[in-house]
Amino acid sequence: MKKAFVAIAVSTSLFVLSACGNNSDTVVESSAGNVTKEELYTAMKTSKVGGSDTLKLLVTEKVLDKKYDVTDAEIDEEIKKVKEQTGEKFDMALKQAGLKDEAALKKFLNGQLLIQKAIEESLTEEELNTPKVKVSHILIQTEGKDAAAAEAKAKEIKAKVDAGEDFATLAKEHSEDDGTKEKGGDVGTIVPGQMVPEFEAAALKLKTGEVSDLVKSKFGYHIIKATERTEYSELSEAEQKAAKEQAMQVKYSNGAAEKIIQKELDDAKVEVKDDDFKDLFKAPEEAEKK
């Protein structure tokens, strides 16, 4: 549902669990505050999503609210983005997201922005200060082939590159990546998390004009050339913001975000009083043991 609803999709992917309830007035206790049955019921009426999804979001919001601040201005800005992107379909978009009205969206976005701030704080200098590197490559595949012969061919091509032969021409002649060979091997700018780890690690180390040694991945042998490199400090403010967003997205996609939030919940000593939700706040690997 476009970028403004990415947080909603993230929440759903993080907390897809089942629902129910019992007669206890307090459903969950934590050092950040308790959630009562009445509070859960009220939240479910406004969000129109399952009890366990709503409960986990309620508790997560209470826990994160103790550490992070979300301003009304930040929420209003997100609302504005949603309205700009959905236009006349705003109300329909809310219904599709399981939200009753704009007030429910504001409440939901408050929780999502708290999660976002927790993920953002976890970013390391290395994750943030990623350079912008544009690369080309030559791929010699290994799947279904004699691995030694593929390696020998890759070494032969690398020798030609080292001898000064034109990289783009060699890519068109020898690369087995049909998506890039006709473009002289042009891959474009490396986006963290979108390439296989071996390729990404090697590419991000290269200076402009530099060529890697052979890089082995599940696809085969790569010869990578950096055609343009811009250090993080040289990026525009907008590019740095985009780089931060991309670094956070990597954490969402590789499961690191879920572990960060789980640690916040563990640190808050969440205690479930309702048996129907007894495994809700356990790490996935713990729940699987039950």
Side-chain angles (χ1 to χ4, degrees), residues 38-234:
E38 181 180 358
E39 186 177 4
L40 173 58
Y41 177 63
T42 301
M44 288 174 63
K45 285 197 299 181
T46 57
S47 69
K48 293 186 177 181
V49 296
S52 56
D53 283 352
T54 302
L55 178 58
K56 189 145 192 178
L57 287 171
L58 276 172
V59 176
T60 300
E61 184 174 351
K62 282 181 179 290
V63 169
L64 298 182
D65 193 49
K66 291 288 186 179
K67 294 181 63 175
Y68 308 101
D69 292 319
V70 173
T71 66
D72 290 340
E74 288 174 316
I75 295 176
D76 289 343
E77 180 62 26
E78 293 303 315
I79 295 285
K80 180 181 177 182
K81 290 177 185 177
V82 173
K83 289 183 175 180
E84 288 176 348
Q85 292 170 7
T86 58
E88 295 179 356
K89 297 181 180 179
F90 176 70
D91 290 336
M92 182 187 299
L94 290 183
K95 290 180 181 179
Q96 290 176 344
L99 298 168
K100 182 180 178 181
D101 51 28
E102 186 171 327
L105 176 59
K106 287 184 177 181
K107 175 69 174 173
F108 185 86
L109 286 174
N110 180 70
Q112 295 308 296
L113 287 170
L114 285 168
I115 291 172
Q116 180 177 307
K117 287 176 183 289
I119 306 306
E120 184 175 349
E121 187 177 271
S122 76
L123 293 174
T124 65
E125 286 297 316
E126 183 178 3
E127 289 169 330
L128 280 173
N129 298 331
T130 302
K132 182 178 179 181
V133 185
K134 185 177 180 182
V135 302
S136 296
H137 85 141
I138 298 170
L139 171 66
I140 303 301
Q141 297 179 352
T142 52
E143 184 176 356
K145 295 182 178 182
D146 178 85
E151 183 179 11
K153 182 177 180 181
K155 286 181 176 179
E156 180 183 336
I157 297 169
K158 177 63 165 60
K160 292 182 179 181
V161 173
D162 292 342
E165 292 193 35
D166 183 66
F167 191 95
T169 300
L170 289 170
K172 290 179 180 179
E173 292 176 351
H174 301 290
S175 181
E176 295 171 354
D177 178 0
D178 292 335
T180 63
K181 66 178 297 180
E182 294 305 319
K183 298 184 292 183
D186 182 22
V187 174
T189 301
I190 295 297
V191 177
Q194 291 188 356
M195 309 297 291
V196 290
E198 302 90 345
F199 187 103
E200 180 179 311
L204 291 177
K205 292 177 182 177
L206 299 175
K207 304 298 182 183
T208 301
E210 190 175 7
V211 178
S212 71
D213 292 328
L214 295 189
V215 177
K216 179 72 167 61
S217 80
K218 63 182 181 180
F219 298 110
Y221 290 96
H222 306 264
I223 304 167
I224 308 169
K225 179 178 181 178
T227 56
E228 184 179 329
R229 178 187 178 95
T230 307
E231 298 301 332
Y232 179 83
S233 59
E234 300 173 317

